[in-house]
């Protein structure tokens, strides 16, 4: 079983991108409370498809989210050195502790509706 459950805040605004096969995705980091009091862990995550599109529409930097997914490893080479990274492949994202930002509105007003996904 490979399940990860995180609660934290988005560290930057969502930048929705599209793959060559036209699948929506974005990479993001969640700032979650660490094991020790006062510690913060920054966890890299990726989400694809309709969930990515919905999150891009309703979330921004600082939004508190719950992320459920699975842990994956990535490997690449930089300056001749192999680097291995861990990230969460998000399968579900929920908005926590607040409402939804109004669509096409630059104000900080929020709606008190449930998150749509």
């Amino acid at each position: 079983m490979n399940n990860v459950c995180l609660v934290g805040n988005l560290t930057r605004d969502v930048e929705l991108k599209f793959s060559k096969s036209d699948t929506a995705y974005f990479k993001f980091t969640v700032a979650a409370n660490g094991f020790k009091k006062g510690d913060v862990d920054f966890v890299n995550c990726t989400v694809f498809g309709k969930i990515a599109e919905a999150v891009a529409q309703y979330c921004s930097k600082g939004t508190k989210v719950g992320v459920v997914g699975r842990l994956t490893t990535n490997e690449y080479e930089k300056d001749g050195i192999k680097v291995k990274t861990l990230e969460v492949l998000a399968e579900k994202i929920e908005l926590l502790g607040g409402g939804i930002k109004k669509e096409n509105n630059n104000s900080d007003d929020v709606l008190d509706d449930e998150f749509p996904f």
Side-chain angles (χ1 to χ4, degrees), residues 24-43:
Y25 76 95
F26 74 91
K27 294 182 176 285
F28 61 103
T29 302
V30 174
N33 289 335
F35 183 71
K36 293 180 182 178
K37 188 175 182 176
D39 282 353
V40 177
D41 292 323
F42 295 92
V43 183

Side-chain angles (χ1 to χ4, degrees), residues 1-81:
M1 181 181 295
N2 181 358
N3 289 321
V4 175
C5 182
L6 301 168
V7 173
N9 299 81
L10 297 179
T11 61
R12 64 180 182 264
D13 286 334
V14 174
E15 280 187 52
L16 191 65
K17 298 179 181 180
F18 291 88
S19 67
K20 292 178 183 177
S21 62
D22 211 30
T23 301
Y25 76 95
F26 74 91
K27 294 182 176 285
F28 61 103
T29 302
V30 174
N33 289 335
F35 183 71
K36 293 180 182 178
K37 188 175 182 176
D39 282 353
V40 177
D41 292 323
F42 295 92
V43 183
N44 294 322
C45 305
T46 303
V47 65
F48 292 93
K50 294 205 179 284
I51 297 172
E53 293 177 31
V55 171
Q57 185 176 3
Y58 293 105
C59 294
S60 61
K61 180 179 179 177
T63 301
K64 189 168 194 169
V65 293
V67 178
V68 176
R70 55 192 161 97
L71 195 60
T72 61
T73 58
N74 296 311
E75 204 172 284
Y76 63 93
E77 195 169 312
K78 182 176 181 178
D79 299 329
I81 300 171

